[in-house]
Amino acid sequence: NAGVTQTPKFQVLKTGQSMTLQCAQDMNHNSMYWYRQDPGMGLRLIYYSASEGTTDKGEVPNGYNVSRLNKREFSLRLESAAPSQTSVYFCASRPLPYNEQFFGPGTRLTVL
Amino acid sequence: ELKVEQNPLFLSMQEGKNYTIYCNYSTTSDRLYWYRQDPGKSLESLFVLLSNGAVKQEGRLMASLDTKARLSTLHITAAVHDLSATYFCAVEPNRDDKIIFGKGTRLHILP
């Protein structure tokens, strides 16, 4: 099992460019999450998906869109990147409620 | 809106000492999680606490949950350098899968 995988690992964008961060899990988990981590801010929830076909906003959804393509994949899209979106992005999944989350290795994004 | 507060945010301590990290949250919840993050790495699960009074222990770490006080503690006994990391608590307030993290406690244990 690869667990939770994220691509790319690193990315540099210019302001206004768009990109999609990919996340996939091979553990047959129902729930998937996107967080961003900034120094001194902990992890902040961007969007989450409790099951295939559903998505919900988290704490900081502005400037992002998500797609739960199927049970395995949950992508995060930045339509017009801004320097404030420079961060480390983590994807996570978990099988059911009452379970811990499993995290991917992260994507380090820099927006110039 | 749920707020999750950790104290302290930074802790430097000597090996062999005991200390406690606190996690307070603002709304009712009986599901709380603790994670560890090493520098430049991802997060790994430490404890899952699912009821009032729950206590879990692993090595020198012990976590507890008091849902009435909306408080969880992570106690470190006889700290060793290998426990240096950032520790996060996370709270699940409702039954809709939303999970909110605290800002983390950066623990630095001096040899």
Side-chain angles (χ1 to χ4, degrees), chain A residues 94 96-101, chain B residues 25 29-35 47-56 63-67 72 90-92 94-95 99:
Chain A
R94 68 173 184 172
L96 291 169
Y98 302 101
N99 281 256
E100 71 268 28
Q101 293 166 299
Chain B
Y25 53 97
S29 175
D30 57 2
R31 307 186 201 190
L32 192 137
Y33 310 88
W34 284 95
Y35 292 86
F47 299 110
V48 177
L49 302 169
L50 298 177
S51 62
N52 186 40
V55 177
K56 295 276 184 77
S64 64
L65 178 61
D66 181 342
T67 60
S72 180
V91 178
E92 186 174 355
N94 302 314
R95 297 291 188 262
I99 300 175

Side-chain angles (χ1 to χ4, degrees), chain A residues 13-91:
Chain A
L13 292 178
K14 294 182 180 177
T15 297
Q17 287 185 317
S18 62
M19 80 159 295
T20 300
L21 280 62
Q22 307 285 354
C23 174
Q25 49 89 11
D26 61 359
M27 298 175 283
N28 200 36
H29 287 177
N30 287 318
S31 304
M32 297 187 74
Y33 304 78
W34 276 107
Y35 291 90
R36 60 178 288 175
Q37 183 174 28
D38 304 292
M41 299 297 292
L43 274 75
R44 291 183 290 172
L45 181 64
I46 305 172
Y47 272 93
Y48 64 106
S49 170
S51 61
E52 183 180 355
T54 69
T55 60
D56 286 284
K57 293 179 180 179
E59 302 169 275
V60 288
N62 291 346
Y64 305 94
N65 286 302
V66 289
S67 295
R68 184 74 184 266
L69 304 168
N70 46 55
K71 193 170 186 180
R72 290 187 62 247
E73 298 171 290
F74 189 38
S75 63
L76 178 72
R77 182 158 179 86
L78 288 70
E79 291 290 352
S80 179
S84 60
Q85 295 178 304
T86 293
S87 188
V88 179
Y89 291 85
F90 285 101
C91 177

